[in-house]
Amino acid sequence: MKMMRLYALDWVNFFLADVRGGLGAFVIVFLTSKAHWSASEIGIVLSISGVVGIMALPFVGAFIDHTRAKRTLVAAGAFLLSFCGLAIVWRPDVPVVLAADVVMAILGGVFAPTVAAITVGLCSREGLAARLGRNAAFDRAGNIFIAALIGLLGISAMQEAPFYITPLFAILTAIAVFSIPAGAVDHLKARGSEADQPIAASISWFSLLRYRPFLLFTVASAMFHFANAPVLPLMLQKLTLANSGLGTEITSLALIITQATTIMMALIVTRANELGRKPLLIAAFAAVPLRGILCATFDQPAFLLATQVLDGVGGGLLDILVPLVLADIMRGAGHYSLARGVLGAIQGLGGSLSQSFAGAIASFAGYNAAFLTTALISLFALFFVMFALPETRQIAPFFLREPSPAKSRKGTTFQG
């Protein structure tokens, strides 16, 4: 029975990746090539939806901590995301696209944290690293499958095809997630609470930022995303301008390379108990400056696409490590998904601001200057991880690090 639950979790990750990957970057391609939207219109809609999605993340995280309907949340979200994609195709005007994109942005903060919470609720602490690595491997395999499928459909059929196949994968996602028995998920453990310890009370997302281990990891992640987020969009812009009419195919190929590399990273993360979290974090952070330098040095399309291997080592590896590192840091707090939401909000804010920042540099000084700027910023992030962030596997449970009531009344903050 236990193995059946874990196999069901494999397919949840695979099919959910198909639902998300069936839309993603292809919305931009559709609006540009078929709906004939201007770059400014797309930018405004993406900015508004992005800000709303980022602001919603802490609230979504708190809801995930409290709800016992995590399976229903995943299934309903998959169907709603599919409907939003169809709405964009049927009515590609500003009000409909804006509303759909806002809902999609919020749902983007639902799926990964909810699946991570279900995983924490199913697995032991010792088995969590291996299970999260396996989750990521199936997620990335799903991304490769859907990117390849959409690439073929984009050539042989129509660019609206990605939006019409996502409902099928939403149905498959629902079947997979409801194959996990409702009673199999320990919801107390899913929110990061220790068995015999009370849930830490009165924790807001502001107070989390006064908790030193969480603050250090959040600062490092924010710098990472500020440096890494604009690299792929800039590279795709550069390649699409030089290869007109192949935007969908280039995007698919770039995603396939990244996801294939991330599968290898996921297999490495399954051994994070033996290797440690910090060496893997250092490897992820080191990939970003190298990628920026290479993108600034070479212009050949094949070489630029090959640098997506480093995106898998960098962004892909960090994405896999986030739920594991947070499980270490927040162990015993009872607010695991809230912490995930706060971290995601700050990461998203850094990524969103960096898009405008790097785009402005590219406009005034060229793409190479933008790539080199991201490389410089990411070097600071790498040094921060190397010298400031501890090995999180060795951090004591949260409830052993809370201030005493007397100190709390004096305003003492959490200590790492």
Side-chain angles (χ1 to χ4, degrees), residues 68-143:
R68 302 180 69 86
K70 294 179 176 64
R71 300 177 310 149
T72 302
L73 186 60
V74 170
F79 283 112
L80 183 55
L81 189 71
S82 300
F83 175 77
C84 288
L86 292 174
I88 290 174
V89 172
W90 294 337
R91 289 287 303 275
D93 50 41
V94 173
V96 173
V97 173
L98 177 59
D101 215 50
V102 166
V103 174
M104 289 165 63
I106 295 172
L107 289 173
V110 169
F111 295 124
T114 307
V115 172
I118 291 172
T119 304
V120 172
L122 286 172
C123 298
S124 66
R125 174 169 161 76
E126 288 301 315
L128 186 59
R131 182 62 249 186
L132 287 173
R134 182 164 171 154
N135 279 5
F138 274 86
D139 178 87
R140 270 45 185 203
N143 275 314

Side-chain angles (χ1 to χ4, degrees), residues 194-208:
E194 294 287 288
D196 299 323
Q197 295 294 331
I199 294 172
S202 65
I203 291 184
S204 69
W205 69 289
F206 294 105
S207 64
L208 277 175

Side-chain angles (χ1 to χ4, degrees), residues 136-187:
F138 274 86
D139 178 87
R140 270 45 185 203
N143 275 314
I144 291 175
F145 173 79
I146 196 66
L149 178 61
I150 289 173
L152 292 173
L153 291 174
I155 295 172
S156 61
M158 55 184 180
Q159 293 196 5
E160 294 90 338
F163 303 92
Y164 287 109
I165 62 176
T166 50
L168 169 62
F169 292 109
I171 294 171
L172 295 173
T173 299
I175 293 172
V177 76
F178 285 121
S179 297
I180 302 171
V185 181
D186 184 335
H187 291 282

Side-chain angles (χ1 to χ4, degrees), residues 186-329:
D186 184 335
H187 291 282
L188 191 63
K189 190 166 66 170
R191 59 185 298 171
S193 181
E194 294 287 288
D196 299 323
Q197 295 294 331
I199 294 172
S202 65
I203 291 184
S204 69
W205 69 289
F206 294 105
S207 64
L208 277 175
L209 294 176
R210 299 198 302 271
Y211 175 47
R212 189 169 180 271
F214 180 76
L215 177 61
L216 291 175
F217 186 56
T218 300
V219 170
S221 298
M223 287 193 291
F224 179 97
H225 281 273
F226 189 88
N228 188 61
V231 178
L232 178 59
L234 289 173
M235 191 186 73
L236 289 176
Q237 290 173 35
K238 188 175 182 180
L239 288 174
T240 302
L241 288 173
N243 300 273
S244 180
L246 295 177
T248 297
E249 291 75 18
I250 289 173
T251 302
S252 294
L253 184 56
L255 295 176
I256 288 170
I257 293 170
T258 300
Q259 302 306 331
T261 306
T262 305
I263 289 177
M264 293 186 284
M265 297 300 103
L267 297 177
I268 293 174
V269 171
T270 62
R271 299 192 58 200
N273 288 349
E274 296 83 21
L275 298 172
R277 279 55 156 166
K278 186 167 181 175
L280 296 177
L281 285 170
I282 290 174
F285 277 74
V288 183
L290 178 58
R291 181 184 177 209
I293 292 170
L294 292 176
C295 285
T297 305
F298 298 93
D299 292 323
Q300 296 87 345
F303 193 91
L304 287 174
L305 284 172
T307 62
Q308 285 301 106
V309 170
L310 291 172
D311 191 28
V313 177
L317 182 55
L318 182 61
D319 282 347
I320 303 168
L321 288 170
V322 162
L324 181 60
V325 171
L326 280 182
D328 292 338
I329 292 173

Side-chain angles (χ1 to χ4, degrees), residues 54 222 225-227 229-230 345-355:
I54 290 169
H225 281 273
F226 189 88
I346 295 173
Q347 286 178 339
L349 181 61
S352 297
L353 292 175
S354 70
Q355 299 281 4

